[in-house]
């Protein structure tokens, strides 16, 4: 199966592009959903998180205390690595399971919707990478407007990710979402049609 990593920076508009691809019939695995599912109440993943980070990692309803975990790992590389060592193997296994299911169903191509693809070094697991891109100034403006962050808060979150221009240099297909929605849709349609042509020639 041909695997495409679909990624972008925070507030780049990746979800918009995912919706467009779904309309064209693309098979998409939502890796954010998988990341949430591996720490559902009663899961091995959540039990491992609690063993490592303590009972503060649990809310009263039995779900993971994401605010607490986020505060622990945000500026602590060692703690971040501990969390990743718990979650990433579980996430990768579920991705493999879903790919196998889609392949069995006859799909030839799958998009892995993965916001942190480069951050978790997943590019080696896919055949190519599509990046939803916006320039740094637009990214900052949109993030502040979307989340109500101050400039410093928004910059801190942007800087916690791989620089978007570095992502651009490592990606095979770029969807520039800086301009209008119509311009973005034109690019997605063209990239999709080119993909279909390439797949026909394989």
């Amino acid at each position: 199966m041909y695997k495409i990593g679909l990624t972008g920076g925070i507030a780049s508009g990746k979800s918009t592009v995912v919706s467009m691809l779904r309309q064209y019939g693309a098979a998409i695995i939502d890796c954010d959903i998988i990341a949430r599912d591996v720490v559902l109440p009663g899961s091995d993943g959540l039990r491992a998180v609690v063993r490592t980070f303590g009972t503060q990692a649990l809310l009263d309803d039995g779900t993971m205390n994401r605010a607490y975990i986020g505060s622990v790992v945000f500026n602590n590389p060692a703690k971040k690595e501990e969390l990743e060592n718990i979650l990433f193997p579980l996430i990768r296994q579920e991705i493999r399971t879903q790919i196998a299911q889609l392949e069995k169903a006859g799909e030839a191509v799958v998009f892995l919707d993965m916001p942190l693809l480069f951050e978790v070094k997943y590019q080696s697991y896919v055949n190519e990478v599509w990046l939803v891109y916006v320039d740094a100034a637009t990214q900052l403006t949109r993030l502040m407007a979307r989340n109500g962050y101050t400039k410093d808060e928004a910059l801190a979150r942007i800087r916690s990710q791989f620089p978007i221009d570095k992502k651009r240099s490592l990606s095979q297909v770029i969807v520039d979402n800086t301009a209008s929605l119509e311009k973005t849709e034109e690019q997605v349609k063209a990239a999709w049609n080119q993909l279909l042509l390439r797949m026909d020639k394989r």
Side-chain angles (χ1 to χ4, degrees), residues 39-41 45-73 83 86-87:
V39 288
L40 286 173
L46 185 55
R47 281 191 285 270
V49 169
V50 173
R51 281 197 301 272
T52 303
F53 293 92
T55 54
Q56 284 177 286
L58 273 184
L59 293 171
D60 291 340
D61 63 0
T63 59
M64 189 170 82
N65 187 340
R66 294 182 180 278
Y68 170 72
I69 293 294
S71 69
V72 170
V73 306
L83 182 65
I86 294 168
L87 301 184

Side-chain angles (χ1 to χ4, degrees), residues 129-201:
V129 177
W130 289 26
L131 175 73
V132 183
Y133 175 86
V134 292
D135 61 66
T138 302
Q139 185 181 25
L140 178 62
T141 301
R142 287 182 181 174
L143 182 57
M144 290 171 66
R146 188 188 77 181
N147 291 53
Y149 291 147
T150 64
K151 184 177 181 179
D152 286 344
E153 288 171 336
L155 284 172
R157 281 154 181 82
I158 289 170
R159 288 168 180 162
S160 73
Q161 295 187 349
F162 215 57
I164 196 160
D165 285 315
K166 181 68 173 175
K167 291 182 180 183
R168 181 171 186 147
S169 70
L170 296 170
S171 301
Q172 287 70 52
V173 175
I174 311 298
V175 177
D176 191 326
N177 191 36
T178 305
S180 67
L181 194 62
E182 290 75 21
K183 291 288 185 185
T184 299
E185 190 156 18
E186 286 174 13
Q187 295 172 72
V188 174
K189 184 177 182 180
W192 174 253
N193 287 334
Q194 288 165 11
L195 173 64
L196 294 181
L197 285 173
R198 285 189 283 130
M199 294 304 298
D200 282 343
K201 292 175 182 177

Side-chain angles (χ1 to χ4, degrees), residues 1-3 27 98-104 106-110 127 199 202:
M1 174 172 267
Y2 198 78
K3 298 179 286 294
Q98 292 194 23
I99 287 172
Q101 290 169 346
L102 288 168
E103 195 165 20
K104 188 176 180 181
E107 297 286 351
V109 183
V110 62
N127 300 99
M199 294 304 298
R202 290 181 76 218

